[in-house]
Amino acid sequence: MTTEGTTERPAERRVRVVLVDDHRMFRTGVQAEIGRTEETGVEVVGEAADVDQAVTVITATRPEVVLLDVHLPGGGGVEVLRRCTALMADPEKPVRFLALSVSDAAEDVIGVIRGGARGYVTKTITGTDLVDSVFRVQEGDAVFSPRLAGFVLDAFASTDAPPVDEDLDRLTQREREVLRLIARGYAYKEIAKQLFISVKTVESHVSAVLRKLQLSNRHELTRWATARRLV
């Protein structure tokens, strides 16, 4: 076992990792922070920016750990997990997933854990702790950011269903994706490109979201999403 918070690892310890995040600059930063293989033991063998790319790269490289963003074009991290179920269940060489997201929203955390992820850490994590988390997930441990650990235990210990946001529940999965991207400041054209849909379709989804939530414009929509930590 390694000592938590220590970056030095035996030379023979290696873990093959795929980075999945729709922000190229963030992937570059993570690669620079943890991908110094001789120093950290982490070998980044692939990257992906959306669901389809992620499934393709993960299937082709068969990494030991996938660092998975929750919000991705094409259906989000949950969709990646769903399409990689067989790889996770491989008894000989299982692919394990660690969610790495800016979001600490309940629905995001519970969604990916139910989908099969072995842990969930937020993007405020340090490079040193992220390396430790990757190795622990490789070894089969469950890893969570400290504040999320209690939250997850409470959610799964309860016999009651997780809290339901009735307003959010009115939205389709695609409308939620558009909502998050609008709240994150993306222009309609950028959202269309990310989700592989037309600008007209984006406009249609935004109109539906505003109508269902009884909001008037994207500024109100951004405040609504931010208040629920959906951004």
Side-chain angles (χ1 to χ4, degrees):
M1 293 291 289
T2 59
T3 301
E4 189 170 355
T6 300
T7 57
E8 294 181 359
R9 296 185 181 280
E12 67 272 15
R13 292 199 69 194
R14 290 286 188 275
V15 57
R16 301 172 71 253
V17 172
V18 163
L19 304 178
V20 181
D21 194 290
D22 59 331
H23 289 95
R24 183 179 58 79
M25 289 184 64
F26 181 77
R27 296 199 308 272
T28 301
V30 173
Q31 163 81 299
E33 187 71 23
I34 73 171
R36 305 182 304 277
T37 308
E38 293 305 314
E39 180 181 339
T40 64
V42 176
E43 180 186 3
V44 177
V45 297
E47 297 183 16
D50 59 41
V51 170
D52 287 340
Q53 286 181 15
V55 174
T56 299
V57 171
I58 293 166
T59 302
T61 60
R62 296 297 295 262
E64 289 152 299
V65 177
V66 177
L67 286 177
L68 179 67
D69 193 9
V70 174
H71 303 304
L72 292 169
V78 171
E79 179 64 12
V80 176
L81 291 163
R82 186 186 69 78
R83 291 167 61 178
C84 291
T85 300
L87 299 179
M88 287 189 282
D90 185 336
E92 299 294 328
K93 193 178 179 182
V95 177
R96 295 187 167 110
F97 289 78
L98 173 62
L100 175 61
S101 175
V102 70
S103 170
D104 60 1
E107 65 160 9
D108 290 335
V109 179
I110 299 303
V112 295
I113 296 306
R114 288 195 190 284
R118 297 291 304 178
Y120 194 117
V121 295
T122 60
K123 290 182 177 178
T124 57
I125 194 171
T126 66
T128 300
D129 288 342
L130 183 56
V131 170
D132 281 330
S133 298
V134 167
F135 273 96
R136 289 170 58 195
V137 167
Q138 179 202 27
E139 293 164 356
D141 289 348
V143 179
F144 296 93
S145 293
R147 195 178 75 80
L148 299 182
F151 167 79
V152 172
L153 286 172
D154 289 344
F156 281 89
S158 173
T159 55
D160 298 327
V164 173
D165 187 322
E166 293 184 357
D167 289 334
L168 188 62
D169 235 26
R170 296 191 186 101
L171 306 183
T172 65
Q173 182 63 34
R174 180 64 90 186
E175 288 168 351
R176 294 185 190 194
E177 291 176 339
V178 172
L179 164 66
R180 288 192 178 95
L181 292 172
I182 286 286
R184 291 165 78 172
Y186 285 75
Y188 285 7
K189 188 178 296 184
E190 295 172 313
I191 296 172
K193 185 177 180 181
Q194 286 221 20
L195 299 181
F196 305 108
I197 57 179
S198 69
V199 172
K200 190 171 182 179
T201 301
V202 174
E203 292 173 348
S204 176
H205 285 311
V206 172
S207 296
V209 171
L210 292 174
R211 184 182 67 255
K212 290 179 179 180
L213 300 181
Q214 298 185 332
L215 301 174
S216 301
N217 53 55
R218 63 181 298 164
H219 300 295
E220 290 183 3
L221 186 152
T222 299
R223 285 198 295 271
W224 189 92
T226 302
R228 285 167 169 76
R229 297 181 176 181
L230 299 175
V231 180

